[in-house]
Amino acid sequence: MVERQDEGAGRLTGLREAIEQGRTALGIELGSTRIKACLVGPDNAPLASGSHDWENQLVDGVWTYSLDAVWSGLQASVTALLADVERQYGVRPSTVGAIGVSAMMHGYLAFDEADELLVPFRTWRNTSTERAATELTGLLGHNIPLRWSVAHLYQAILDDEPHVAQVRHFTTLAGYVHWRLTGQQVLGVGDASGMFPIDPATKDYDQRMLAQLDELVGGRGPGRGVADLLPRVLPAGADAGALTADGAALLDPTGTLLPGIPLCPPEGDAGTGMVATNSVAPRTGNVSAGTSIFAMVVLEKPLERVHEELDLVTTPAGDLVAMVHCNNGASELGAWAELFGQFAAALGRPAEPGAVFEALLRSALDGDADGGGLLAYNYLSGEPITGLEAGRPLFTRTPDSRLTLGNFARTQVYSVFGTLSLGMRVLAEEQVELDTMFAHGGLFKTEGVAQRLLAAALGAPVAVGRTAGEGGAWGIAVLAAYRASARGAAAPEQGLGSYLGAEVFSDAALDVVEPDAEDVAGFSAFLERYSAGLAIERAAVETLPTRDTTQEAAR
């Protein structure tokens, strides 16, 4: 017992020294519903964390977040992290080895010559760019999804929006935060690949496509080539600048964190998900489940043809990836859990939200394999893969269905994976081979539930590691640590895949679940019902209007 106490005290002392000496890395990810900060130690294991909840708003028909909310939320998460470090280790760090910023990909943040925001931030969730995306896909011979940054820019041009002439640079949310922290208008190649197509040979924007777009736009654009408006592209590990005095004040108004800390290239949540699951090599893939849900599969070779269901993006190192992105993930499941929590409180038995969510999720294992004939859609917003410009969350059933808690929960989980499964069928048609699909995100914290049902939905093994619940904040912290490993050089000598294998996942324990035949058959029956019932969802979109949250706030 004494030896164990001495060992524990020695480890605590070692971690305290590492924190004081800055042999750590800080990752910050701005997700759709939560901003999270994660500090990792010399072995890349999480040491402390802090978070802040936030929500997007529907303002004048546009899904957005205010820039004030960006900074107040970021500061709150960093403050919580610093307090967590002090509580656990008795020190308050003034520096770290490197910082990384990640955020939800795509969207549109456009600035003028004075670096003022021209229009409210248009997030990935907006689906008002159909004409632009269709025209660009046809012109470039490359799928341009509705949420991509270039689709937002070109739609603004098509709509003759007055701000277009004033645009001098535009970027993603991660690129914006990084710019304000460092003064550098740069972007990691993975995040950049969701702004404009990347040439796999150069790992930079495709110059031929840029020329085609400039010719198409002609005199209708901002008065300069699109290339001049985009942030500079950097691979993982590259020098992306350092924290300035102004940036340090933005990040930590208490003045604890000092300027001069190096930053890694800012990345999107898709890239950090690949890092968090060690799926950056060909034939590996991962599923990230949050407000949205998406699957990333690293390709061995280019696809045979263009598919509207698939994005072609890259890993943080610049390798080609097929991405199945669905706008709607686990938010509706969370809303039902909140409702059940309110019901428990009304009975005089209140419970923590996490406990309610876990209980609901676990009950899915008690349901029938096909969900008992129930049907649900988790569409809080539009879903391009199923051709819907807007969404309405729905739950419905036939009179002969079996309405039990288990069937209800299983149906809600199945609905999280429904659209993803439809998109993954396209990859199967392209004969893309996948060894194992890794999964991460809060949905997979509850052991053996979402993982098992995802295996049924994909018909493939699903692996979950000990960091599955850490998600992108841990992934971008690892990318920051990778930058720090360069020790002042322009880039690390070790490739990203080798670094992850040797320094991060060498002894990682994985729980792999093979698809269960009964679950596979059950999900297949559910998916048939889901596909047939899309007419109900379309009718709901046509007949049920949404409310503008700005009007709600005004009242």
Side-chain angles (χ1 to χ4, degrees):
M1 180 67 72
V2 173
E3 287 183 4
R4 287 186 180 180
Q5 289 176 344
D6 290 344
E7 182 180 333
R11 182 176 182 277
L12 184 62
T13 299
L15 291 176
R16 185 183 298 117
E17 290 177 353
I19 292 167
E20 289 176 325
Q21 296 165 10
R23 292 185 289 114
T24 54
L26 171 60
I28 302 167
E29 180 155 277
L30 295 95
S32 301
T33 59
R34 188 167 62 150
I35 301 172
K36 185 174 180 181
C38 177
L39 187 73
V40 301
D43 61 353
N44 289 290
L47 296 178
S49 64
S51 65
H52 171 80
D53 293 336
W54 70 337
E55 287 287 347
N56 55 192
Q57 289 184 305
L58 186 62
V59 180
D60 297 328
V62 174
W63 289 105
T64 188
Y65 300 84
S66 72
L67 297 191
D68 286 344
V70 169
W71 293 111
S72 62
L74 190 149
Q75 289 166 4
S77 63
V78 171
T79 297
L81 177 136
L82 294 176
D84 190 31
V85 173
E86 191 169 26
R87 178 182 61 80
Q88 290 193 67
Y89 307 100
V91 293
R92 197 168 178 86
S94 61
T95 189
V96 296
I99 298 173
V101 176
S102 173
M104 57 192 104
M105 288 178 68
H106 319 295
Y108 182 70
L109 280 154
F111 299 88
D112 63 15
E113 200 167 287
D115 293 335
E116 294 294 328
L117 186 68
L118 289 166
V119 290
F121 171 32
R122 297 172 182 177
T123 77
W124 58 270
R125 202 169 194 175
N126 293 286
T127 56
S128 58
T129 58
E130 184 173 2
R131 181 184 168 193
T134 300
E135 288 189 18
L136 290 176
T137 297
L139 172 75
L140 304 178
H142 185 108
N143 183 35
I144 305 295
L146 304 183
R147 65 191 177 280
W148 276 29
S149 306
V150 69
H152 283 282
L153 174 66
Y154 186 52
Q155 188 65 52
I157 292 171
L158 292 175
D159 293 340
D160 293 321
E161 293 193 35
H163 84 271
V164 168
Q166 303 173 59
V167 176
R168 291 299 173 264
H169 59 100
F170 71 115
T171 189
T172 65
L173 181 56
Y176 162 71
V177 172
H178 182 95
W179 163 49
R180 292 294 307 277
L181 295 181
T182 66
Q184 301 292 316
Q185 293 182 20
V186 299
L187 209 57
V189 62
D191 204 9
S193 68
M195 290 194 74
F196 193 86
I198 296 292
D199 182 345
T202 64
K203 302 189 189 308
D204 200 350
Y205 301 118
D206 190 297
Q207 296 301 307
R208 176 187 62 83
M209 294 184 191
L210 282 170
Q212 287 178 300
L213 179 56
D214 286 340
E215 184 177 352
L216 174 68
V217 170
R220 297 176 294 167
R224 59 184 67 190
V226 175
D228 295 330
L229 308 177
L230 290 162
R232 184 163 54 93
V233 180
L234 295 174
D239 180 2
L243 189 66
T244 64
D246 288 342
L250 272 174
L251 192 61
D252 173 30
T254 68
T256 301
L257 285 178
L258 302 176
I261 302 170
L263 271 79
C264 70
E267 264 300 344
D269 49 2
T272 58
M274 285 185 271
V275 171
T277 53
N278 193 22
S279 48
V280 299
R283 296 174 67 96
T284 62
N286 78 87
V287 169
S288 175
T291 300
S292 64
I293 183 170
F294 52 83
M296 313 285 292
V297 178
V298 186
L299 301 175
E300 296 180 280
K301 58 185 177 63
L303 299 178
E304 292 293 330
R305 60 188 182 88
V306 176
H307 299 276
E308 291 185 0
E309 300 90 344
L310 301 177
D311 301 13
L312 286 179
V313 292
T314 77
T315 70
D319 296 314
L320 197 62
V321 173
M323 179 181 190
V324 179
H325 185 283
C326 310
N327 279 0
N328 299 280
S331 292
E332 181 66 1
L333 179 61
W336 280 106
E338 184 178 348
L339 180 67
F340 286 125
Q342 293 173 7
F343 180 69
L347 289 175
R349 296 179 177 270
E352 289 294 319
V356 175
F357 187 88
E358 181 174 347
L360 177 62
L361 202 58
R362 287 199 181 283
S363 69
L365 299 182
D366 300 326
D368 298 332
D370 72 339
L374 308 182
L375 180 58
Y377 294 97
N378 61 336
Y379 293 179
L380 287 161
S381 64
E383 195 57 79
I385 288 179
T386 49
L388 287 157
E389 292 186 12
R392 301 292 183 271
L394 292 176
F395 171 71
T396 187
R397 67 189 186 97
T398 56
D400 60 344
S401 62
R402 294 188 65 245
L403 182 58
T404 66
L405 180 62
N407 282 336
F408 176 83
R410 180 173 285 237
T411 298
Q412 291 297 332
V413 177
Y414 275 172
S415 75
V416 175
F417 302 142
T419 311
L420 181 74
S421 179
L422 295 175
M424 290 296 289
R425 287 181 174 182
V426 180
L427 278 179
E429 292 168 3
E430 278 271 1
Q431 297 183 329
V432 172
E433 301 202 9
L434 182 66
D435 293 331
T436 302
M437 184 69 86
F438 297 86
H440 76 115
L443 188 62
F444 300 99
K445 278 186 175 181
T446 302
E447 185 177 348
V449 182
Q451 180 184 9
R452 170 180 154 181
L453 299 184
L454 177 60
L458 299 180
V462 173
V464 172
R466 61 182 172 83
T467 56
E470 297 294 336
W474 181 71
I476 191 63
V478 169
L479 284 174
Y482 178 55
R483 169 61 202 150
S485 72
R487 296 180 176 84
E493 293 182 5
Q494 193 175 24
L496 178 60
S498 298
Y499 176 84
L500 293 177
E503 304 295 334
V504 184
F505 292 97
S506 60
D507 60 351
L510 288 176
D511 175 28
V512 181
V513 169
E514 298 284 341
D516 175 82
E518 186 177 355
D519 286 341
V520 171
F523 182 82
S524 179
F526 166 81
L527 197 61
E528 286 185 20
R529 191 160 64 244
Y530 182 92
S531 298
L534 282 168
I536 307 171
E537 178 70 23
R538 293 189 182 97
V541 170
E542 292 172 2
T543 57
L544 298 175
T546 58
R547 295 182 299 182
D548 193 317
T549 57
T550 55
Q551 294 176 357
E552 295 272 315
R555 287 199 294 270

